[in-house]
Amino acid sequence: MRKSIPAERAPKSDGYCSRILRAQGTKREGYQEFRLRVEGDPENYQPSSTYRVTLIASHPAYFRGFTVIALKEGKDGDKDEDYAGNFQIIDEEDTQFMTNCPPAVTESTPRRRTRIQVFWTAPPSGSGCVILKASIVQKKIIYFQDEGSLTKRMCEKEPLFGEATDKPLLDCCACGTAKYRVTFYGNWSEKIHPKDYPRRANHWSALIGASHSRNYVLWEYGGYSSDGVKQVAELGSPVKTEEEIRQKGDDVLTVIKMKAQWPAWQPLNVRAAPSAEFSVDRARHLMSFLTMMGPSPDWNVGLSAEDLCTKECGWVQKVIQDLIPWDAGTDSGVSYESPNKATIPQEKIRPLTSLDHPQSPFYDPEGGAITPVARVVVERIARKGEQCNIVPDNVDDIVADIAPEEKEEDDTPETCIYSNWSPWSACSSATCEKGKRMRQRMLKAQLDLSVPCPHTQDFQPCMGPGCSDEDASTCMMSEWITWSPCSASCGVGMRSRERYVKQFPEDGSICTLPTEETETCTVNEECSPNSCLVTEWGEWDPCSATCGQGMKRRERMVKTVPSDGSACEAEMVKVEKCMMPECHTIPCLLTPWSDWSDCSVTCGKGARTRSRQFKSPLELGECAEDLEQVEKCMLPECPMDCVVSEWTEWSECNKSCGKGHMLRTRMVKMEPQFGGNPCPETVQRKKCKLRKCNNSKSGSANSDERRRRKEAREKRRNKQGCKMKPWSTWTECTKLCGGGIQERLITAKKRFKSSQLSSCKERKEIRACNVHPC
């Protein structure tokens, strides 16, 4: 929050400031280690305008203390009137007003620093040149420069002949009235302001303003935004502001309005710059307006209390002003599409600068001036009534005063062949509310396809009869009162309606517009016994469409049915087409997309979402934009455990007598993946115990005995009807280490007729293999 000391409440300096200036210490002329800079590096200052002043130390230098002061050129600082303008504190932790020298700014606490910033408001018109000086304290050494990088000289900007005064005059001495045209040229485009330019929804909101007296302030730097200005700044809606303006009564002469511009910039040969006309007089000689940059947090451009009255008791001929954006102090966003974040408490209106925030689209670490985003031209087009300043400004002004408005210049390219313009249509408004009228022409031929041809439709604002201030009588009339009942109950009669004068001509002349009109009316065309009596037609219902073409209807009722009892054949309902102003939609304003949500799963394939919200009220236009988006997401694959089959049956014991073992196995169906659990054992062994073996003298005898028994079993099996093949070879071991298994099979080679199915059954043997550890 800024802090300033008004001049009338500041303590006297008592010559202390001049002692500071004399106690300069060591001079370092031309030494560029430190620099005093005014934002934009202007050579001239605009009276009463505010500038950002920065004191900078180049790396690796620094300073511990400082003093910044502003003097009128040629003054020594011995008197309070020697000082020029006023400083404003930006950061109280860094800067403060010097106790014994209130016009000067110094450090709050001595510490190492490389940069400080303050605001300086230039003195009023007529103050002459100004010297901004800075002193640096570094290791108890004071550097103070009369010339060089710690001194900045600026002189007052000279006003052009006929240009508006810098501040509103307390009293305007001009006579009569003047009529002006204000034209708004928006040059906010991606080419000129490329950083973070919002391509999708860039626009200027509807412009709203007024010509007014000095008792009314629409907006001003250092003031607070009204509710109406807040709605323009945040939503682009001028409705509330217009209500506030109209409530000011006699303090306002003309309400100034222009349509919104979508997109923000188009070439002038594609879309003409919008304009509006307004009037001023001696009491209401100021002009203010604003329009929002969209999308933005609360950024606008405009003029505040532009005085169109000259010191010579005349009317300014022309004002051309480049506009930079300003902050309404109601939203704390730092970029075009920042989410809504109300500023609490509300801050004062201030101009945006290139050092506000690194995320700002206008940010410049060097603190350069912001490139203007728009230009406004206010030009006098006529004067009315007796003028105090009888000497015209130039020949063009004489023509403007005595001649009717010149014919509009035709900018049609020679390569575009059109038909003549059709006559203007009737105004869409029959009352004193603003409407539109239209004319058309046909494009017959386009000789050069590379040269675009302008529009074939032309629109013009209009009001109902007697409502325009361009009428010769300059009377402002009320709407017509409803028609009186028809004077005849059957057949042709007369009816009338009235209106009254709302505002008489400013020159005191008599209103010549009629306040009453009559017309014939027919209640019942046939006045015969078989005709029915009907009422007059009722008023037309509102048009069924709010824009474009619609339908309207009106009705009447039967008062008396035919005396002969026949049906009433009179028409009871009438339906007609109606035309409203052309339809246009206002693209909805949306907040930026939120961050993507977390994936819906912890591994593998899932989905994530993001959302956004409406930034503008729905009633400002239809909005078919999506508010939520869903997309697929892929996380690392989920771990998959090893999958094995069921255990086989236990094998036969590997011994025919004594102690042996049996085996069973299971197969690996799927190896583990992505860190899944490893495979369990695939071979199990358990002991088996048969009858005791006979103790023979030699192992060979036992072996021979086993072979003989086996051959005997084979012979018995063959006798039973089967002849078996030899055993197959052992299969490869299922594992290279850690214990695997091998198998071999024996199958029947020949079956005899007397054989049983069970005696020829295929048999399998299993044995362990590669049992050494891995």
Side-chain angles (χ1 to χ4, degrees):
M1 182 176 291
R2 303 181 192 174
K3 181 179 179 182
S4 61
I5 298 181
E8 64 271 13
R9 288 188 287 134
K12 296 292 182 181
S13 59
D14 296 329
Y16 185 80
C17 295
S18 60
R19 291 198 295 272
I20 294 175
L21 293 173
R22 289 192 293 270
Q24 294 178 0
T26 305
K27 284 190 177 182
R28 300 286 294 272
E29 300 293 349
Y31 193 51
Q32 301 298 316
E33 192 173 11
F34 307 103
R35 182 184 178 194
L36 182 68
R37 181 177 184 182
V38 178
E39 182 179 17
D41 295 324
E43 295 181 0
N44 304 100
Y45 68 86
Q46 185 79 23
S48 302
S49 295
T50 299
Y51 299 88
R52 185 186 295 260
V53 178
T54 308
L55 187 57
I56 308 169
S58 301
H59 183 76
Y62 63 90
F63 54 93
R64 296 182 181 275
F66 65 92
T67 303
V68 180
I69 203 163
L71 287 171
K72 294 178 181 177
E73 189 173 37
K75 301 295 182 180
D76 297 326
D78 295 325
K79 303 174 184 178
D80 289 340
E81 52 265 28
D82 291 351
Y83 300 95
N86 293 290
F87 286 104
Q88 293 175 285
I89 301 300
I90 297 177
D91 188 348
E92 294 185 4
E93 294 184 0
D94 259 345
T95 54
Q96 67 177 0
F97 291 104
M98 187 171 285
T99 305
N100 296 322
C101 181
V105 176
T106 188
E107 73 279 358
S108 296
T109 53
R111 61 180 177 83
R112 291 175 61 139
R113 47 172 62 84
T114 59
R115 173 192 294 255
I116 65 98
Q117 297 180 28
V118 293
F119 283 115
W120 175 71
T121 301
S125 180
S127 300
C129 295
V130 173
I131 307 295
L132 288 169
K133 292 185 175 185
S135 66
I136 293 296
V137 180
Q138 186 188 50
K139 296 181 179 178
K140 299 182 180 180
I141 301 174
I142 300 176
Y143 305 110
F144 205 106
Q145 293 186 334
D146 291 329
E147 296 175 357
S149 60
L150 282 178
T151 299
K152 176 73 175 179
R153 178 179 184 269
M154 293 190 298
C155 292
E156 180 180 350
K157 180 181 177 183
E158 291 293 332
L160 300 176
F161 178 75
E163 191 177 29
T165 54
D166 296 316
K167 279 294 176 181
L169 301 174
L170 293 179
D171 291 302
C172 175
C173 58
C175 300
T177 63
K179 189 171 185 178
Y180 287 87
R181 178 182 293 114
V182 54
T183 307
F184 182 82
Y185 298 93
N187 58 2
W188 176 44
S189 64
E190 188 172 15
K191 181 178 180 181
I192 299 177
H193 299 88
K195 183 181 177 185
D196 299 333
Y197 188 77
R199 294 182 178 181
R200 188 183 65 84
N202 60 86
H203 70 284
W204 293 105
S205 74
L207 183 147
I208 185 70
S211 58
H212 57 89
S213 72
R214 58 190 176 93
N215 296 327
Y216 173 56
V217 177
L218 176 60
W219 70 272
E220 65 178 348
Y221 288 132
Y224 291 98
S225 296
S226 66
D227 290 340
V229 171
K230 179 181 178 181
Q231 284 200 10
V232 174
E234 294 185 2
L235 304 176
S237 171
V239 177
K240 181 67 175 176
T241 302
E242 184 174 353
E243 288 179 4
E244 293 176 351
I245 292 173
R246 294 189 183 278
Q247 289 172 0
K248 295 302 175 180
D250 292 340
D251 283 328
V252 171
L253 182 59
T254 308
V255 178
I256 302 170
K257 296 195 289 187
M258 297 182 202
K259 291 196 306 182
Q261 301 293 299
W262 296 83
W265 180 86
Q266 282 188 325
L268 292 178
N269 64 344
V270 176
R271 182 182 70 197
S275 63
E277 296 178 3
F278 66 94
S279 299
V280 291
D281 60 16
R282 177 180 290 187
R284 294 157 292 191
H285 51 96
L286 307 179
M287 177 267 198
S288 302
F289 78 87
L290 74 155
T291 176
M292 178 199 74
M293 296 175 65
S296 71
D298 58 345
W299 299 342
N300 315 264
V301 298
L303 291 180
S304 175
E306 189 72 27
D307 196 347
L308 300 176
C309 185
T310 67
K311 297 177 181 178
E312 295 78 21
C313 300
W315 296 110
V316 171
Q317 184 177 346
K318 193 171 188 178
V319 175
I320 301 176
Q321 185 73 44
D322 289 325
L323 305 176
I324 63 169
W326 48 269
D327 190 302
T330 62
D331 191 293
S332 299
V334 296
S335 63
Y336 290 127
E337 298 186 283
S338 293
N340 290 336
K341 183 180 180 183
T343 301
I344 301 174
Q346 183 174 331
E347 294 181 353
K348 293 180 179 180
I349 296 173
R350 64 172 184 85
L352 294 182
T353 74
S354 59
L355 294 171
D356 283 336
H357 195 281
Q359 293 181 7
S360 168
F362 306 108
Y363 181 71
D364 177 7
E366 295 298 320
I370 292 178
T371 303
V373 296
R375 169 175 287 184
V376 64
V377 177
V378 182
E379 190 170 13
R380 192 180 73 214
I381 57 177
R383 292 184 292 190
K384 296 180 182 179
E386 184 179 353
Q387 299 292 313
C388 307
N389 181 8
I390 60 173
V391 179
D393 297 325
N394 53 34
V395 175
D396 293 337
D397 188 57
I398 299 175
V399 176
D401 287 350
I402 65 175
E405 291 187 16
E406 297 180 3
K407 185 178 180 181
E408 184 179 350
E409 191 174 316
D410 188 3
D411 59 352
T412 303
E414 295 180 356
T415 55
C416 300
I417 309 301
Y418 288 96
S419 67
N420 292 329
W421 284 107
S422 68
W424 286 104
S425 67
C427 188
S428 62
S429 172
T431 68
C432 290
E433 294 295 323
K434 283 193 176 181
K436 288 188 178 181
R437 61 178 184 169
M438 179 187 73
R439 62 177 181 173
Q440 302 183 53
R441 61 180 176 178
M442 293 180 59
L443 178 63
K444 292 184 175 180
Q446 186 174 0
L447 304 181
D448 186 351
L449 296 178
S450 65
V451 178
C453 291
H455 51 271
T456 57
Q457 289 185 333
D458 190 16
F459 294 90
Q460 192 178 71
C462 60
M463 291 187 288
C467 295
S468 173
D469 57 6
E470 296 177 0
D471 290 343
S473 67
T474 66
C475 289
M476 185 65 71
M477 308 297 292
S478 70
E479 298 180 23
W480 287 103
I481 299 173
T482 308
W483 286 103
S484 66
C486 192
S487 60
S489 60
C490 181
V492 179
M494 298 296 292
R495 66 176 184 173
S496 64
R497 63 177 182 176
E498 297 177 346
R499 61 179 176 178
Y500 60 91
V501 178
K502 290 180 66 177
Q503 181 176 325
F504 287 92
E506 298 172 0
D507 57 6
S509 60
I510 300 173
C511 283
T512 58
L513 291 173
T515 57
E516 183 178 3
E517 66 178 10
T518 59
E519 69 175 13
T520 59
C521 53
T522 303
V523 178
N524 293 281
E525 295 180 0
E526 298 180 11
C527 296
S528 60
N530 64 345
S531 64
C532 56
L533 298 181
V534 295
T535 62
E536 292 184 67
W537 286 107
E539 295 294 327
W540 286 105
D541 291 339
C543 191
S544 61
T546 57
C547 63
Q549 182 173 300
M551 302 298 291
K552 63 180 181 179
R553 68 193 302 269
R554 64 177 180 176
E555 299 177 354
R556 60 181 177 180
M557 300 176 65
V558 177
K559 292 176 66 177
T560 307
V561 297
S563 57
D564 59 1
S566 60
C568 185
E569 297 180 357
E571 186 181 15
M572 295 292 113
V573 178
K574 274 188 179 180
V575 179
E576 288 185 2
K577 293 181 180 179
C578 52
M579 178 64 76
M580 301 298 286
E582 78 275 13
C583 297
H584 65 278
T585 57
I586 301 176
C588 51
L589 298 181
L590 299 168
T591 62
W593 286 107
S594 65
D595 294 332
W596 285 105
S597 66
D598 294 334
C599 198
S600 59
V601 296
T602 56
C603 61
K605 294 180 180 179
R608 62 178 187 170
T609 62
R610 65 175 183 176
S611 61
R612 57 184 175 179
Q613 297 176 337
F614 292 115
K615 196 172 182 180
S616 58
L618 288 178
E619 59 265 20
L620 295 183
E622 294 293 331
C623 190
E625 298 284 347
D626 293 332
L627 298 180
E628 186 174 77
Q629 285 184 346
V630 180
E631 71 172 11
K632 296 179 180 178
C633 53
M634 185 71 184
L635 295 179
E637 293 286 351
C638 299
M640 300 180 66
D641 298 337
C642 176
V643 179
V644 295
S645 65
E646 296 294 326
W647 289 105
T648 62
E649 296 294 330
W650 288 101
S651 66
E652 295 181 357
C653 193
N654 67 336
K655 296 289 182 67
S656 59
C657 63
K659 294 180 179 179
H661 64 266
M662 297 185 297
L663 297 175
R664 69 172 182 177
T665 62
R666 55 183 173 185
M667 305 297 292
V668 175
K669 291 185 176 181
M670 185 176 69
E671 295 288 342
Q673 300 181 42
F674 314 115
N677 293 329
C679 293
E681 60 180 348
T682 55
V683 179
Q684 283 186 348
R685 177 186 308 189
K686 73 175 182 178
K687 295 178 180 179
C688 54
K689 187 176 182 181
L690 302 177
R691 59 183 175 82
K692 291 183 179 181
C693 296
N694 294 329
N695 293 326
S696 56
K697 293 181 179 181
S698 65
S700 60
N702 291 336
S703 178
D704 292 341
E705 180 63 23
R706 285 196 298 273
R707 182 172 54 80
R708 285 195 297 271
R709 290 177 180 173
K710 186 174 181 181
E711 289 175 353
R713 286 198 300 273
E714 294 295 330
K715 289 179 180 179
R716 287 197 299 272
R717 185 173 289 110
N718 290 336
K719 288 181 181 180
Q720 292 173 356
C722 285
K723 187 173 182 181
M724 306 299 288
K725 292 180 181 180
W727 285 96
S728 67
T729 57
W730 291 101
T731 61
E732 291 187 5
C733 192
T734 57
K735 287 189 176 182
L736 297 177
C737 60
I741 58 171
Q742 290 177 297
E743 297 179 347
R744 68 173 182 173
L745 298 173
I746 187 170
T747 57
K749 181 178 182 182
K750 186 177 181 181
R751 294 182 180 180
F752 300 102
K753 294 181 179 180
S754 59
S755 63
Q756 300 293 325
L757 185 61
S758 60
S759 63
C760 297
K761 184 171 62 173
E762 179 183 282
R763 290 183 293 128
K764 179 170 63 174
E765 285 187 350
I766 300 174
R767 70 180 182 184
C769 57
N770 295 338
V771 294
H772 57 279
C774 294

